[in-house]
Each structure stands twice: as C-alpha cells, then as structure tokens.
Amino acid sequence: MPWLDLRNVSASYDAQEVLNDISMTLEEGELLALLGPSGSGKTSLLRTIAGLISLDKGTIILDETDISLHPPYRRDIGMVFQSYALFPHFNLEKNIAFGLNVRDVPQKEMEERVSEIMQISNLQGLGKRFPNEISGGEQQRGALARALITKPRLLLLDEPFAALDKNLRYQMRGELKKIQQKTHITTIFVTHDQEEALQLADKMVVMKEGRLIQSGPAREIYERPCNRFVAEFVGEANFFEGKTLDQKAGTIMIRPENIEIEDQAAQLPSQFEAEIIDYEIRSPWICLRARLRNYPVMVYCRPQSLAPLLKKKKILIGWENEAMVYLT
C-alpha cells in the first residue's frame, strides 16, 4: 500500500468549497510538491491532511491507518508554516525539544535526539541562541528540526522558503533536500515556484480551483503536461495551432530549450524562418524572443551565440518531432 493515500477528498472552509474530489498517493520517503496559483487549494489540502480543515467527504489513509476523523494531535504529522512559528521566549534547543517535552520523553534521550537533529540540520553551536539572534535560514532549519524531532510519519511544509531572499532560497532548497534524504521522511511541500518544485520534488501535483489537474513525476509533468494550463504554469512554453504526425489538430507545445537555431536547426525535420524581436538574460541561458508568422517564440540559447544573432533580423529555428507535445 502507498504510505499516504487520499481518496476522493473534498472539503469546505467558511461554507466555501476549497477541495473538490482529490485523489492521490505518495510512497514512503518521497518528496511531493503541491504546485498551483494562489487560491488553487494547495494550503487547504495541506491543512486538510493535517486535520486543521475537516473533510466533507473522502478518506485519508496514512501508514495503513485511516486518519480521516482523527484530531490533529493524533495524526503524527509534523508541519512547518511560512512564518516558522518558533517560540521567541525559548532558545533554539528548547524550541526543537518542545515536541519531546510534551510527550514526557526522558531527559537523556531528549538531549541525544536534540543533538542528533541539530547535527543533521547543520545547527551545531546555536542551541543557546534565541530566534531573534539567528538568521532567517537558521530559523527555517530550526523549524524543520522541531517538526522532525518527534519522527512524524509525514512532514508538511507550507511555502517554507517564501520569507527568504532569493540567494538564501536557493541555499535552503539544497539544505531541505539533504535533510529530507538523511531522515527519509515522507514530505509534502506547497510552492507556487515551478523551478523550486522541479529542483526538489520526486513527484508533483498541479492544482487549480480546488481540483487536481495533473500528478506524477516532476520531470514527466514538465515534459508532458496534460493541458495548456499545466504547460504554462510549469515552466515556459511555445504554443502553435497545428497538426501532429498522426494528423490530430489542436495546440502543440514546444519548450524553449528544445528549439535549435541556425546550423543546428537546418538539420532538423521542422524548420522555419523567424523574425528576431529582442532578448533577455536568464543565466545560464539567453532567452531570445522572435516571431514565427503570427506566433511569439521563445528560444533558449547560449550567451556565446547571441552576438552574431543580433546582427540579423531573421533567424532559422527548428525542432525534432519528439519535441512537440499535443495538448488536449
């Protein structure tokens, strides 16, 4: 059986439906990203799994136990909110040990487990400091350590990097992945950042208006989105109206990195002349904007390719047949 199994879950909050017939599974040790625009139901789903929003219908099974009607404290789930919610009057050690204290864990065992989780979380030497004396990244790792120390069956993270600046966000993504792999804890995290989801997640769920639109391995969803909404939300894409090789008419998607230019394009089965409009630097790529007939086109190319291109008004672009994805 899967470690987490949601079956036809629907829920309402303040008399408004926030989840509509959600079904999904997660295996033990996997990291799942909940991705979608604001108001799509990501945080509501997290809070429903945690027991903070009651089910209207459906079933939640965790580690072969039906927890659908269990109160939050009986679900054995750890949760980290955007604000981290560390107690300001406790030092970091006491914050992390809080869950063990309320469970009356013996002092010696408590000290050993606090030391272990602080080492895993790279917080050694900070135990006596208070939250206002450590950095945002250290606070975030402290909140993770506090959630992990009770060894919950499931860890839920609600946009864990939202309060961090860009550079620290990149750093903390790597830290979270390391901690999750060391503890092997099954984890679900909410994000609206597709890059973050693709970097961290084993699996991804894309949501819209309380519904699950597509779920599966993160890379598979990026490469083979089920419809235009998913294609646009999970990365950048080019869209054309046309026919596939089996003559299906409709919308065809091609990712910018799958479009070749000039000499490379001349070797490909699909090739067209496009008008250059402008470009944007997106390290390590240059995003070249062009127009193919009535369609805007984005092409990712290497910086060394840019200078000769800017001397031209038109460019040859092309792609492999396999790069075309037909959208329903």
Side-chain angles (χ1 to χ4, degrees):
M1 290 184 66
W3 188 253
L4 177 68
D5 189 357
L6 272 61
R7 303 175 183 173
N8 308 110
V9 166
S10 295
S12 301
Y13 184 73
D14 286 344
Q16 180 178 354
E17 184 180 67
V18 291
L19 300 175
N20 188 317
D21 199 31
I22 301 287
S23 294
M24 61 178 238
T25 61
L26 191 59
E27 300 299 327
E28 184 177 9
E30 287 185 322
L31 196 156
L32 171 76
L34 293 180
L35 191 66
S38 297
S40 61
K42 306 183 300 295
T43 296
S44 295
L45 181 55
L46 215 64
R47 294 173 68 86
T48 300
I49 295 170
L52 302 175
I53 296 177
S54 299
L55 290 177
D56 291 339
K57 67 174 184 178
T59 306
I60 300 174
I61 297 173
L62 178 61
D63 187 16
E64 301 186 14
T65 301
D66 186 346
I67 62 169
S68 307
L69 300 178
H70 288 188
Y73 64 87
R74 285 191 55 211
R75 298 195 177 199
D76 195 14
I77 291 174
M79 189 163 183
V80 178
F81 298 92
Q82 291 183 35
S83 62
Y84 315 143
L86 294 174
F87 302 119
H89 56 292
F90 283 173
N91 64 26
L92 191 56
E93 277 183 357
K94 288 184 178 179
N95 262 290
I96 293 171
F98 181 80
L100 302 181
N101 258 316
V102 298
R103 289 168 172 79
D104 294 323
V105 172
Q107 184 67 28
K108 187 174 186 301
E109 180 185 348
M110 188 186 308
E111 291 173 357
E112 289 173 352
R113 286 172 65 175
V114 168
S115 176
E116 178 187 19
I117 199 65
M118 289 186 74
Q119 184 171 3
I120 290 173
S121 306
N122 195 23
L123 292 168
Q124 306 97 310
L126 301 177
K128 302 305 180 185
R129 297 189 187 182
F130 288 82
N132 66 344
E133 297 174 330
I134 58 178
S135 70
E138 289 161 351
Q139 289 181 45
Q140 203 259 7
R141 293 202 301 275
L144 273 174
R146 187 176 63 183
L148 290 168
I149 199 166
T150 59
K151 300 180 179 178
R153 293 183 293 179
L154 181 67
L155 177 64
L156 306 178
L157 307 174
D158 187 7
E159 299 210 45
F161 312 120
L164 304 178
D165 63 47
K166 184 177 180 179
N167 290 336
L168 191 51
R169 256 198 327 270
Y170 283 125
Q171 178 186 335
M172 288 310 304
R173 289 175 190 172
E175 293 289 338
L176 172 60
K177 191 70 173 179
K178 288 178 188 175
I179 292 170
Q180 193 267 341
Q181 289 174 338
K182 285 179 181 177
T183 59
H184 197 62
I185 188 168
T186 311
T187 303
I188 301 176
F189 75 99
V190 163
T191 182
H192 62 270
D193 185 331
Q194 56 88 13
E195 181 183 340
E196 188 169 282
L198 288 168
Q199 180 183 345
L200 289 176
D202 303 307
K203 287 183 177 177
M204 185 188 296
V205 165
V206 182
M207 298 183 66
K208 180 184 180 183
E209 297 175 351
R211 295 178 179 272
L212 189 156
I213 306 300
Q214 187 175 0
S215 64
R219 182 55 56 179
E220 179 182 296
I221 290 179
Y222 177 77
E223 294 176 350
R224 290 289 182 264
C226 67
N227 59 27
R228 183 158 180 161
F229 168 78
V230 176
E232 289 180 317
F233 198 83
V234 183
E236 293 186 301
N238 298 294
F239 301 98
F240 307 97
E241 298 303 317
K243 291 182 179 180
T244 58
L245 294 177
D246 56 1
Q247 298 301 305
K248 287 183 180 178
T251 302
I252 295 169
M253 180 210 79
I254 303 172
R255 295 291 185 191
E257 65 271 23
N258 291 330
I259 297 180
E260 300 291 350
I261 58 173
E262 298 292 74
D263 292 345
Q264 290 84 357
Q267 311 301 317
L268 299 177
S270 298
Q271 49 182 271
F272 307 90
E273 191 175 66
E275 179 186 359
I276 296 175
I277 298 174
D278 61 11
Y279 70 95
E280 180 181 340
I281 297 173
R282 298 186 185 178
S283 181
W285 299 100
I286 298 294
C287 180
L288 188 70
R289 292 190 181 92
R291 182 169 296 280
L292 171 58
R293 299 171 187 164
N294 294 323
Y295 297 104
V297 181
M298 288 183 295
V299 182
Y300 289 167
C301 59
R302 295 294 179 183
Q304 59 267 29
S305 307
L306 182 63
L309 293 179
L310 294 182
K311 298 176 183 178
K312 302 182 177 184
K313 290 185 178 180
K314 294 189 176 180
I315 184 176
L316 185 68
I317 64 173
W319 52 80
E320 298 281 4
N321 292 331
E322 294 77 13
M324 297 186 291
V325 179
Y326 175 74
L327 302 177
T328 56

PDB file of all heavy atoms in Angstrom, residues 228 238-243 250-254 259 272 292 295-298 317 319 324-325:
ATOM      1  N   ARG A 228      -2.935  22.992 -21.542  1.00  0.00           N
ATOM      2  CA  ARG A 228      -2.222  24.262 -21.667  1.00  0.00           C
ATOM      3  C   ARG A 228      -1.999  24.920 -20.307  1.00  0.00           C
ATOM      4  O   ARG A 228      -0.960  25.553 -20.087  1.00  0.00           O
ATOM      5  CB  ARG A 228      -2.974  25.208 -22.608  1.00  0.00           C
ATOM      6  CG  ARG A 228      -2.235  26.513 -22.840  1.00  0.00           C
ATOM      7  CD  ARG A 228      -2.650  27.196 -24.105  1.00  0.00           C
ATOM      8  NE  ARG A 228      -1.918  28.441 -24.297  1.00  0.00           N
ATOM      9  CZ  ARG A 228      -1.793  29.064 -25.455  1.00  0.00           C
ATOM     10  NH1 ARG A 228      -2.351  28.561 -26.557  1.00  0.00           N
ATOM     11  NH2 ARG A 228      -1.123  30.198 -25.551  1.00  0.00           N
ATOM     12  N   ASN A 238       6.212  27.433 -25.754  1.00  0.00           N
ATOM     13  CA  ASN A 238       5.711  27.994 -27.005  1.00  0.00           C
ATOM     14  C   ASN A 238       4.497  27.193 -27.447  1.00  0.00           C
ATOM     15  O   ASN A 238       4.468  25.962 -27.302  1.00  0.00           O
ATOM     16  CB  ASN A 238       6.789  27.912 -28.096  1.00  0.00           C
ATOM     17  CG  ASN A 238       8.018  28.717 -27.751  1.00  0.00           C
ATOM     18  OD1 ASN A 238       7.974  29.937 -27.674  1.00  0.00           O
ATOM     19  ND2 ASN A 238       9.134  28.042 -27.522  1.00  0.00           N
ATOM     20  N   PHE A 239       3.498  27.880 -27.970  1.00  0.00           N
ATOM     21  CA  PHE A 239       2.270  27.213 -28.392  1.00  0.00           C
ATOM     22  C   PHE A 239       1.960  27.558 -29.846  1.00  0.00           C
ATOM     23  O   PHE A 239       2.039  28.717 -30.257  1.00  0.00           O
ATOM     24  CB  PHE A 239       1.096  27.635 -27.502  1.00  0.00           C
ATOM     25  CG  PHE A 239       1.305  27.321 -26.055  1.00  0.00           C
ATOM     26  CD1 PHE A 239       1.762  28.295 -25.173  1.00  0.00           C
ATOM     27  CD2 PHE A 239       1.057  26.054 -25.562  1.00  0.00           C
ATOM     28  CE1 PHE A 239       1.969  28.010 -23.839  1.00  0.00           C
ATOM     29  CE2 PHE A 239       1.257  25.745 -24.231  1.00  0.00           C
ATOM     30  CZ  PHE A 239       1.717  26.731 -23.364  1.00  0.00           C
ATOM     31  N   PHE A 240       1.597  26.533 -30.596  1.00  0.00           N
ATOM     32  CA  PHE A 240       1.223  26.700 -32.001  1.00  0.00           C
ATOM     33  C   PHE A 240      -0.042  25.902 -32.269  1.00  0.00           C
ATOM     34  O   PHE A 240      -0.252  24.836 -31.677  1.00  0.00           O
ATOM     35  CB  PHE A 240       2.322  26.192 -32.938  1.00  0.00           C
ATOM     36  CG  PHE A 240       3.683  26.774 -32.672  1.00  0.00           C
ATOM     37  CD1 PHE A 240       4.615  26.083 -31.906  1.00  0.00           C
ATOM     38  CD2 PHE A 240       4.033  28.017 -33.171  1.00  0.00           C
ATOM     39  CE1 PHE A 240       5.867  26.615 -31.644  1.00  0.00           C
ATOM     40  CE2 PHE A 240       5.287  28.563 -32.915  1.00  0.00           C
ATOM     41  CZ  PHE A 240       6.203  27.865 -32.154  1.00  0.00           C
ATOM     42  N   GLU A 241      -0.858  26.403 -33.146  1.00  0.00           N
ATOM     43  CA  GLU A 241      -2.010  25.634 -33.614  1.00  0.00           C
ATOM     44  C   GLU A 241      -1.579  24.863 -34.854  1.00  0.00           C
ATOM     45  O   GLU A 241      -1.007  25.431 -35.786  1.00  0.00           O
ATOM     46  CB  GLU A 241      -3.188  26.555 -33.949  1.00  0.00           C
ATOM     47  CG  GLU A 241      -3.700  27.356 -32.754  1.00  0.00           C
ATOM     48  CD  GLU A 241      -4.130  26.485 -31.592  1.00  0.00           C
ATOM     49  OE1 GLU A 241      -4.798  25.456 -31.845  1.00  0.00           O
ATOM     50  OE2 GLU A 241      -3.813  26.822 -30.439  1.00  0.00           O
ATOM     51  N   GLY A 242      -1.819  23.561 -34.854  1.00  0.00           N
ATOM     52  CA  GLY A 242      -1.385  22.770 -35.999  1.00  0.00           C
ATOM     53  C   GLY A 242      -1.785  21.328 -35.861  1.00  0.00           C
ATOM     54  O   GLY A 242      -2.716  20.985 -35.124  1.00  0.00           O
ATOM     55  N   LYS A 243      -1.053  20.446 -36.561  1.00  0.00           N
ATOM     56  CA  LYS A 243      -1.346  19.023 -36.539  1.00  0.00           C
ATOM     57  C   LYS A 243      -0.112  18.241 -36.134  1.00  0.00           C
ATOM     58  O   LYS A 243       1.013  18.603 -36.477  1.00  0.00           O
ATOM     59  CB  LYS A 243      -1.812  18.546 -37.923  1.00  0.00           C
ATOM     60  CG  LYS A 243      -3.173  19.079 -38.344  1.00  0.00           C
ATOM     61  CD  LYS A 243      -3.573  18.503 -39.699  1.00  0.00           C
ATOM     62  CE  LYS A 243      -4.948  19.010 -40.117  1.00  0.00           C
ATOM     63  NZ  LYS A 243      -5.354  18.458 -41.441  1.00  0.00           N
ATOM     64  N   GLY A 250      -4.916  20.699 -33.232  1.00  0.00           N
ATOM     65  CA  GLY A 250      -5.059  21.283 -31.900  1.00  0.00           C
ATOM     66  C   GLY A 250      -3.849  22.104 -31.537  1.00  0.00           C
ATOM     67  O   GLY A 250      -3.123  22.588 -32.412  1.00  0.00           O
ATOM     68  N   THR A 251      -3.606  22.271 -30.233  1.00  0.00           N
ATOM     69  CA  THR A 251      -2.483  23.071 -29.752  1.00  0.00           C
ATOM     70  C   THR A 251      -1.257  22.194 -29.550  1.00  0.00           C
ATOM     71  O   THR A 251      -1.338  21.137 -28.925  1.00  0.00           O
ATOM     72  CB  THR A 251      -2.846  23.773 -28.433  1.00  0.00           C
ATOM     73  OG1 THR A 251      -3.992  24.596 -28.637  1.00  0.00           O
ATOM     74  CG2 THR A 251      -1.687  24.633 -27.935  1.00  0.00           C
ATOM     75  N   ILE A 252      -0.130  22.650 -30.074  1.00  0.00           N
ATOM     76  CA  ILE A 252       1.140  21.941 -29.922  1.00  0.00           C
ATOM     77  C   ILE A 252       2.066  22.795 -29.080  1.00  0.00           C
ATOM     78  O   ILE A 252       2.189  23.999 -29.290  1.00  0.00           O
ATOM     79  CB  ILE A 252       1.771  21.663 -31.298  1.00  0.00           C
ATOM     80  CG1 ILE A 252       0.886  20.690 -32.090  1.00  0.00           C
ATOM     81  CG2 ILE A 252       3.179  21.097 -31.150  1.00  0.00           C
ATOM     82  CD1 ILE A 252       1.267  20.569 -33.531  1.00  0.00           C
ATOM     83  N   MET A 253       2.705  22.178 -28.077  1.00  0.00           N
ATOM     84  CA  MET A 253       3.626  22.871 -27.184  1.00  0.00           C
ATOM     85  C   MET A 253       5.059  22.443 -27.468  1.00  0.00           C
ATOM     86  O   MET A 253       5.326  21.260 -27.697  1.00  0.00           O
ATOM     87  CB  MET A 253       3.290  22.551 -25.724  1.00  0.00           C
ATOM     88  CG  MET A 253       4.218  23.256 -24.728  1.00  0.00           C
ATOM     89  SD  MET A 253       4.471  22.353 -23.177  1.00  0.00           S
ATOM     90  CE  MET A 253       5.669  21.112 -23.665  1.00  0.00           C
ATOM     91  N   ILE A 254       5.972  23.410 -27.414  1.00  0.00           N
ATOM     92  CA  ILE A 254       7.408  23.129 -27.515  1.00  0.00           C
ATOM     93  C   ILE A 254       8.122  23.980 -26.473  1.00  0.00           C
ATOM     94  O   ILE A 254       7.949  25.205 -26.432  1.00  0.00           O
ATOM     95  CB  ILE A 254       7.955  23.449 -28.918  1.00  0.00           C
ATOM     96  CG1 ILE A 254       7.181  22.673 -29.983  1.00  0.00           C
ATOM     97  CG2 ILE A 254       9.447  23.117 -28.997  1.00  0.00           C
ATOM     98  CD1 ILE A 254       7.524  23.075 -31.393  1.00  0.00           C
ATOM     99  N   ILE A 259      14.235  24.090 -28.862  1.00  0.00           N
ATOM    100  CA  ILE A 259      14.316  24.733 -30.178  1.00  0.00           C
ATOM    101  C   ILE A 259      15.785  25.037 -30.498  1.00  0.00           C
ATOM    102  O   ILE A 259      16.491  25.643 -29.703  1.00  0.00           O
ATOM    103  CB  ILE A 259      13.485  26.035 -30.214  1.00  0.00           C
ATOM    104  CG1 ILE A 259      11.995  25.710 -29.979  1.00  0.00           C
ATOM    105  CG2 ILE A 259      13.669  26.750 -31.544  1.00  0.00           C
ATOM    106  CD1 ILE A 259      11.100  26.930 -29.986  1.00  0.00           C
ATOM    107  N   PHE A 272      11.938  26.670 -39.617  1.00  0.00           N
ATOM    108  CA  PHE A 272      11.194  27.843 -40.055  1.00  0.00           C
ATOM    109  C   PHE A 272      12.069  29.081 -39.908  1.00  0.00           C
ATOM    110  O   PHE A 272      12.977  29.126 -39.068  1.00  0.00           O
ATOM    111  CB  PHE A 272       9.918  28.039 -39.220  1.00  0.00           C
ATOM    112  CG  PHE A 272       9.044  26.827 -39.148  1.00  0.00           C
ATOM    113  CD1 PHE A 272       9.204  25.884 -38.137  1.00  0.00           C
ATOM    114  CD2 PHE A 272       8.047  26.622 -40.092  1.00  0.00           C
ATOM    115  CE1 PHE A 272       8.399  24.768 -38.069  1.00  0.00           C
ATOM    116  CE2 PHE A 272       7.235  25.503 -40.036  1.00  0.00           C
ATOM    117  CZ  PHE A 272       7.406  24.578 -39.020  1.00  0.00           C
ATOM    118  N   LEU A 292       7.278  33.889 -35.277  1.00  0.00           N
ATOM    119  CA  LEU A 292       7.108  32.955 -36.378  1.00  0.00           C
ATOM    120  C   LEU A 292       5.685  33.114 -36.900  1.00  0.00           C
ATOM    121  O   LEU A 292       4.729  32.731 -36.228  1.00  0.00           O
ATOM    122  CB  LEU A 292       7.361  31.530 -35.897  1.00  0.00           C
ATOM    123  CG  LEU A 292       7.021  30.395 -36.862  1.00  0.00           C
ATOM    124  CD1 LEU A 292       7.787  30.546 -38.160  1.00  0.00           C
ATOM    125  CD2 LEU A 292       7.307  29.045 -36.220  1.00  0.00           C
ATOM    126  N   TYR A 295       2.917  33.846 -34.431  1.00  0.00           N
ATOM    127  CA  TYR A 295       3.167  33.263 -33.112  1.00  0.00           C
ATOM    128  C   TYR A 295       4.438  33.839 -32.481  1.00  0.00           C
ATOM    129  O   TYR A 295       5.497  33.854 -33.118  1.00  0.00           O
ATOM    130  CB  TYR A 295       3.318  31.747 -33.216  1.00  0.00           C
ATOM    131  CG  TYR A 295       2.091  31.030 -33.700  1.00  0.00           C
ATOM    132  CD1 TYR A 295       2.023  30.547 -35.012  1.00  0.00           C
ATOM    133  CD2 TYR A 295       0.991  30.832 -32.861  1.00  0.00           C
ATOM    134  CE1 TYR A 295       0.897  29.877 -35.461  1.00  0.00           C
ATOM    135  CE2 TYR A 295      -0.141  30.166 -33.306  1.00  0.00           C
ATOM    136  CZ  TYR A 295      -0.179  29.689 -34.604  1.00  0.00           C
ATOM    137  OH  TYR A 295      -1.295  29.029 -35.051  1.00  0.00           O
ATOM    138  N   PRO A 296       4.359  34.286 -31.208  1.00  0.00           N
ATOM    139  CA  PRO A 296       5.589  34.634 -30.490  1.00  0.00           C
ATOM    140  C   PRO A 296       6.355  33.358 -30.146  1.00  0.00           C
ATOM    141  O   PRO A 296       5.745  32.332 -29.839  1.00  0.00           O
ATOM    142  CB  PRO A 296       5.075  35.335 -29.223  1.00  0.00           C
ATOM    143  CG  PRO A 296       3.702  34.774 -29.018  1.00  0.00           C
ATOM    144  CD  PRO A 296       3.155  34.478 -30.383  1.00  0.00           C
ATOM    145  N   VAL A 297       7.673  33.433 -30.204  1.00  0.00           N
ATOM    146  CA  VAL A 297       8.508  32.260 -29.944  1.00  0.00           C
ATOM    147  C   VAL A 297       9.616  32.641 -28.977  1.00  0.00           C
ATOM    148  O   VAL A 297      10.257  33.686 -29.130  1.00  0.00           O
ATOM    149  CB  VAL A 297       9.142  31.717 -31.245  1.00  0.00           C
ATOM    150  CG1 VAL A 297       9.994  30.488 -30.939  1.00  0.00           C
ATOM    151  CG2 VAL A 297       8.073  31.374 -32.260  1.00  0.00           C
ATOM    152  N   MET A 298       9.842  31.792 -27.970  1.00  0.00           N
ATOM    153  CA  MET A 298      10.980  31.939 -27.063  1.00  0.00           C
ATOM    154  C   MET A 298      11.964  30.816 -27.348  1.00  0.00           C
ATOM    155  O   MET A 298      11.569  29.652 -27.447  1.00  0.00           O
ATOM    156  CB  MET A 298      10.527  31.853 -25.606  1.00  0.00           C
ATOM    157  CG  MET A 298       9.753  33.046 -25.113  1.00  0.00           C
ATOM    158  SD  MET A 298       9.331  32.879 -23.356  1.00  0.00           S
ATOM    159  CE  MET A 298       8.224  31.482 -23.399  1.00  0.00           C
ATOM    160  N   ILE A 317      15.006  28.669 -37.133  1.00  0.00           N
ATOM    161  CA  ILE A 317      14.759  27.865 -35.932  1.00  0.00           C
ATOM    162  C   ILE A 317      14.193  26.514 -36.355  1.00  0.00           C
ATOM    163  O   ILE A 317      13.613  26.376 -37.442  1.00  0.00           O
ATOM    164  CB  ILE A 317      13.779  28.559 -34.951  1.00  0.00           C
ATOM    165  CG1 ILE A 317      12.387  28.712 -35.599  1.00  0.00           C
ATOM    166  CG2 ILE A 317      14.329  29.901 -34.503  1.00  0.00           C
ATOM    167  CD1 ILE A 317      11.329  29.234 -34.629  1.00  0.00           C
ATOM    168  N   TRP A 319      13.118  22.150 -34.722  1.00  0.00           N
ATOM    169  CA  TRP A 319      12.998  21.216 -33.605  1.00  0.00           C
ATOM    170  C   TRP A 319      12.751  19.809 -34.112  1.00  0.00           C
ATOM    171  O   TRP A 319      12.304  19.586 -35.240  1.00  0.00           O
ATOM    172  CB  TRP A 319      11.885  21.646 -32.654  1.00  0.00           C
ATOM    173  CG  TRP A 319      10.560  21.895 -33.328  1.00  0.00           C
ATOM    174  CD1 TRP A 319       9.634  20.988 -33.730  1.00  0.00           C
ATOM    175  CD2 TRP A 319      10.040  23.184 -33.683  1.00  0.00           C
ATOM    176  NE1 TRP A 319       8.566  21.613 -34.311  1.00  0.00           N
ATOM    177  CE2 TRP A 319       8.780  22.961 -34.293  1.00  0.00           C
ATOM    178  CE3 TRP A 319      10.496  24.503 -33.547  1.00  0.00           C
ATOM    179  CZ2 TRP A 319       7.977  24.006 -34.762  1.00  0.00           C
ATOM    180  CZ3 TRP A 319       9.709  25.535 -34.023  1.00  0.00           C
ATOM    181  CH2 TRP A 319       8.461  25.288 -34.609  1.00  0.00           C
ATOM    182  N   MET A 324       7.597  18.062 -29.917  1.00  0.00           N
ATOM    183  CA  MET A 324       6.232  18.572 -29.990  1.00  0.00           C
ATOM    184  C   MET A 324       5.302  17.781 -29.077  1.00  0.00           C
ATOM    185  O   MET A 324       5.275  16.544 -29.140  1.00  0.00           O
ATOM    186  CB  MET A 324       5.717  18.530 -31.426  1.00  0.00           C
ATOM    187  CG  MET A 324       6.487  19.420 -32.386  1.00  0.00           C
ATOM    188  SD  MET A 324       5.747  19.489 -34.050  1.00  0.00           S
ATOM    189  CE  MET A 324       6.047  17.821 -34.640  1.00  0.00           C
ATOM    190  N   VAL A 325       4.578  18.495 -28.217  1.00  0.00           N
ATOM    191  CA  VAL A 325       3.626  17.848 -27.310  1.00  0.00           C
ATOM    192  C   VAL A 325       2.223  18.319 -27.673  1.00  0.00           C
ATOM    193  O   VAL A 325       1.947  19.531 -27.663  1.00  0.00           O
ATOM    194  CB  VAL A 325       3.926  18.189 -25.839  1.00  0.00           C
ATOM    195  CG1 VAL A 325       2.913  17.534 -24.908  1.00  0.00           C
ATOM    196  CG2 VAL A 325       5.351  17.758 -25.477  1.00  0.00           C
TER     197      VAL A 325
END
